[in-house]
Every structure is written in C-alpha cells, then in structure tokens.
Amino acid sequence: MMNHLLARTGLLRAATKTVSQTQRRKMGSGGFTDKMHVKKNKYVEEWNGRREITEMAFEVNPGTLPAILFFAGVVPFGIYSLTRRELIIKGDPRYKRSGLA
C-alpha cells in the first residue's frame, strides 16, 4: 500500500533517483593527483617485495630449528597450561562442567 501511494505521488521515482546519485563514488579522481609528486621510498618498496615472497625466503636449518620449535610448541603449551591452572584455581564453572575437575 505504501509503495502504491509513493508511486502515485511520484515520490518513489524521486527516492530511487536520489539513492542512485548518492551511491556514486569518485574512486580515482579523488583528493590525490599527479601534482603532489609523491616519491616512493625504496626501503618500503623493498620490504613489500620481501613480504610478498616470504615463503620463498623462509628456510629451516639447524640454527633456526630451535626457535621455530620453541615458538610453535613451547609457547602455545605454556599459554594453555597457565590458562588451565587459572581456571582450576578460580573454580570456573566452565572447567567444573567439563568433567576434568
């Protein structure tokens, strides 16, 4: 009923025209132009390039293996055990319902 009333008065057509005009964006012709003379920082560009090919630059050797094992195994287990101990000490209901208490 409301759409019929809007269509009869012409407000529906005006509303859709307004919505379509407000949806447009100025993607490339915004506030930055070529007149600003932005220079690329070679160090930032090099870092971006290295970041994109990390899987090619990553290597495991006897020198890096202990650090990988430490951060992939010991640290997560330490966080788990500290959290579990805190739940036990505080008497958290989630821990009591789990059947482990």
Side-chain angles (χ1 to χ4, degrees):
M1 169 116 180
M2 189 65 158
N3 285 340
H4 178 66
L5 180 63
L6 289 174
R8 190 166 19 140
T9 59
L11 292 176
L12 185 62
R13 194 174 325 130
T16 57
K17 185 177 180 183
T18 305
V19 169
S20 66
Q21 286 177 352
T22 57
Q23 291 292 327
R24 292 184 186 162
R25 305 279 194 262
K26 291 183 177 181
M27 291 297 187
S29 62
F32 297 105
T33 63
D34 291 334
K35 295 178 185 175
M36 294 183 73
H37 302 293
V38 177
K39 294 181 182 177
K40 291 183 178 181
N41 186 335
K42 70 177 186 176
Y43 300 108
V44 172
E45 295 299 323
E46 181 182 340
W47 181 79
N48 281 335
R50 290 281 293 168
R51 202 178 86 193
E52 290 174 1
I53 58 166
T54 301
E55 68 274 1
M56 294 180 188
F58 182 77
E59 59 182 45
V60 177
N61 56 34
T64 60
L65 187 61
I68 293 171
L69 292 176
F70 179 75
F71 287 111
V74 175
V75 170
F77 182 75
I79 293 171
Y80 165 76
S81 62
L82 289 173
T83 306
R84 182 173 179 265
R85 184 180 307 148
E86 182 180 352
L87 288 175
I88 293 170
I89 292 171
K90 297 286 184 182
D92 194 279
R94 290 173 292 186
Y95 185 76
K96 288 180 179 179
R97 280 181 295 191
S98 68
L100 299 174

